[in-house]
Amino acid sequence: MNNVWAEAYIKGEWKYIKEFCEAPKYARSIDGEYPEVGYVELLYDLGKDIHEDHNLALKEKSELKEMRTEFENWKNDVVEKDKHFKIPKPDQYTRNVAQNTMGQS
């Protein structure tokens, strides 16, 4: 997987990760909800899986949805409190990375 960047949120023993990818096959979340181009969601129970070997996003859909919602609310709260804080969209970041690496070997 060619990740461009990832966001993560930890609550208790749960870890939610949203990995933004270049590959078009990751055009929606793993449970089919919350569509946005270019990412995949991961969910781990760190109390049982400290090495993050078993993605539980398909098995623990309610926990995935709760973690996603809490994380998005936190991000929105940060942006609301600091108007200068900007969260780039994945396509903006990908475009900037491509422009900055052109001609480099």
Side-chain angles (χ1 to χ4, degrees), residues 7-104:
E7 300 174 335
Y9 177 71
I10 298 174
K11 183 182 88 177
E13 295 186 342
W14 290 102
K15 182 175 181 181
Y16 167 78
I17 302 171
K18 184 175 180 181
E19 289 185 345
F20 294 89
C21 310
E22 297 178 61
K25 66 182 177 179
Y26 297 108
R28 69 178 75 199
S29 66
I30 199 163
D31 64 1
E33 296 178 9
Y34 194 69
E36 183 177 310
V37 174
Y39 76 89
V40 65
E41 294 177 301
L42 308 166
L43 183 69
Y44 298 102
D45 182 346
L46 299 177
K48 298 176 184 172
D49 181 20
I50 192 68
H51 298 289
E52 299 176 14
D53 293 322
H54 307 286
N55 179 11
L56 300 176
L58 285 175
K59 291 182 181 179
E60 300 288 344
K61 290 184 181 187
S62 63
E63 189 66 38
L64 174 71
K65 190 172 186 173
E66 181 179 329
M67 293 289 285
R68 177 194 310 134
T69 300
E70 287 182 18
F71 181 59
E72 293 299 326
N73 289 342
W74 174 83
K75 285 195 321 184
N76 291 335
D77 189 45
V78 168
V79 173
E80 184 66 30
K81 287 179 180 174
D82 183 354
K83 298 295 184 190
H84 300 288
F85 187 85
K86 303 287 184 208
I87 300 172
K89 292 185 173 27
D91 62 326
Q92 293 170 326
Y93 184 78
T94 304
R95 197 172 330 126
N96 291 340
V97 169
Q99 289 170 351
N100 292 333
T101 57
M102 292 175 102
Q104 297 178 7

